[in-house]
Amino acid sequence: MPLSALLAAAPSPGAAGSLDEAAERAGNAAGWVEENWSTWLNTGLRIVLIAAIAIVLRYLIRRALTNLIDRMNRSAQAVEGTALGGLLVNAERRRQRSEAIGSVLRSVTSFLILGTAALMILGAFQINLAPLLASAGVAGVALGFGARNLVTDFLSGVFMILEDQYGVGDQIDAGVASGEVIEVGLRVTKLRGDNGAIWYVRNGEVKRIGNLSQGWSTAGVDVTVRPMEDLELVRKAITGAGETMTKEEPWSEQLWGPVEMLGLDAVLLDSMTLRVTAKTMPGKALGVERELRWRIKLALDAAGIRMIGTLPLQADGDAADPTASVAAPSAYASATSPQSLAATPIPPTNLAK
């Protein structure tokens, strides 16, 4: 074999050093992996287990909350078909209230479970959570001071829904605005006023709530007649009008009791006032009052009883005197009358003569 071929086949000292160094590095890497693979596997399994438990727990709790809300809605629908369904229970209101409560509970559950799982995963990576929790606490305090109105509105909305202070369809007086509730939110309540305007009321601004649609309402009518009218005849006419009204639709459903005349509310020299009340369905008092005034007026006219503000009775065949409202002639109307001459100013004296 030629000498050049032997020299080419012989390994060089530099190549041998590179191979040994690569082998040493590979051995070190294999040893490091062999030493730490158990830690990696333990950390990976812990992360997978934390994530799996969080996902399964979140799914189970959200499913339980959904079933609870569905059960509440079914109970509301079952009561709706009974005699109290149309009077005391509003199915749509119950549904919206239960959905709002369910949404809040699901959001809180997801935040707590996923937040706790995220912190546990960071802890599995050997990350120091103390600075992170301190920073989160400072950020939470700053956010609380900066968005305190938002937090107040949210908390007020949650308690309003949980305590069932009002719902969709209720007539309420919130102090800053009044009207019919058309939407209840966790931050804002939407009202429709009497003139059709829509009011957006922040829940945190509501200091008092007057709900006119819970329980029952009272319709009150004041009847003012002349003091010389026969009280028994007035009572009979008003009672008859109320009894007729309670037997006719739709007033028989809106009236929850008989129309009662409480008696004389005021007695004056030129009038006397009688108070008439009736217990009605919530939110129906205004319509009942208008119908009751209409019927009482017709009944009093039919009985010949005049209310204050109407024309006085005229005797048969007697016509009203057209000059009764004309004032008497004044003595000052004539320029030659003694009164006019006495009131004439004295002309000034001419001093030039």
Side-chain angles (χ1 to χ4, degrees):
M1 179 178 293
L3 181 59
S4 58
L6 293 175
L7 293 175
S12 62
S18 299
L19 291 176
D20 293 340
E21 184 178 357
E24 183 180 0
R25 291 180 178 176
N28 293 334
W32 183 78
V33 170
E34 184 178 0
E35 292 177 358
N36 295 281
W37 75 270
S38 59
T39 304
W40 293 352
L41 182 60
N42 186 17
T43 302
L45 291 177
R46 184 182 301 177
I47 293 173
V48 172
L49 183 61
I50 292 173
I53 292 177
I55 292 174
V56 172
L57 185 62
R58 177 176 176 269
Y59 171 77
L60 293 177
I61 294 179
R62 290 174 65 93
R63 186 177 180 84
L65 292 175
T66 302
N67 293 335
L68 178 62
I69 298 303
D70 293 340
R71 189 178 300 110
M72 292 173 60
N73 292 334
R74 287 196 298 269
S75 63
Q77 294 176 359
V79 179
E80 186 180 9
T82 62
L84 296 177
L87 302 178
L88 301 179
V89 178
N90 189 329
E92 180 65 17
R93 171 180 172 180
R94 289 284 299 273
R95 186 191 65 81
Q96 292 194 5
R97 175 170 173 259
S98 60
E99 290 294 339
I101 295 175
S103 176
V104 173
L105 293 179
R106 284 192 290 266
S107 299
V108 172
T109 300
S110 299
F111 177 77
L112 293 178
I113 293 177
L114 296 181
T116 304
L119 294 177
M120 293 178 67
I121 290 174
L122 293 177
F125 282 110
Q126 303 298 325
I127 297 177
N128 188 8
L129 298 179
L132 181 62
L133 294 177
S135 301
V138 173
V141 172
L143 182 62
F145 278 106
R148 57 184 181 275
N149 290 333
L150 182 62
V151 175
T152 302
D153 296 340
F154 180 81
L155 294 178
S156 299
V158 170
F159 282 107
M160 285 179 182
I161 293 175
L162 292 177
E163 296 173 1
D164 194 20
Q165 298 180 7
Y166 55 83
V168 176
D170 286 352
Q171 290 285 341
I172 67 170
D173 181 2
V176 294
S178 60
E180 180 183 357
V181 180
I182 59 178
E183 185 178 342
V184 179
L186 294 177
R187 192 181 70 87
V188 174
T189 297
K190 189 184 297 185
L191 304 177
R192 183 175 296 279
D194 297 334
N195 57 354
I198 296 180
W199 298 93
Y200 295 88
V201 181
R202 287 173 41 203
N203 295 330
E205 293 182 349
V206 179
K207 304 302 180 183
R208 61 171 179 81
I209 290 291
N211 196 326
L212 307 179
S213 301
Q214 288 184 352
W216 45 268
S217 300
T218 301
V221 176
D222 291 330
V223 182
T224 305
V225 297
R226 298 182 302 178
M228 66 282 300
E229 299 291 347
D230 187 356
L231 289 177
E232 292 299 329
L233 186 60
V234 174
R235 181 196 299 272
K236 182 178 179 181
I238 294 177
T239 305
E243 292 177 353
T244 304
M245 183 176 175
T246 55
K247 298 177 182 178
E248 297 180 0
E249 296 290 342
W251 313 110
S252 59
E253 296 181 359
Q254 298 183 12
L255 286 170
W256 285 11
V259 178
E260 300 179 351
M261 190 173 71
L262 302 181
L264 284 173
D265 194 59
V267 179
L268 304 176
L269 294 177
D270 57 348
S271 65
M272 56 183 179
T273 303
L274 297 92
R275 183 69 174 174
V276 181
T277 62
K279 185 179 293 186
T280 68
M281 183 186 299
K284 302 297 182 180
L286 186 59
V288 172
E289 288 177 359
R290 292 170 177 170
E291 181 67 18
L292 193 57
R293 290 191 188 96
W294 181 285
R295 292 175 179 266
I296 289 176
K297 178 63 170 62
L298 295 179
L300 293 179
D301 290 345
I305 301 172
R306 300 302 180 186
M307 302 177 64
I308 295 298
T310 59
L311 293 175
L313 289 174
Q314 299 290 339
D316 295 338
D318 296 340
D321 186 5
T323 63
S325 60
V326 179
S330 175
Y332 295 96
S334 176
T336 60
S337 64
Q339 290 81 0
S340 297
L341 294 176
T344 303
I346 301 174
T349 308
N350 190 0
L351 300 179
K353 295 182 180 180

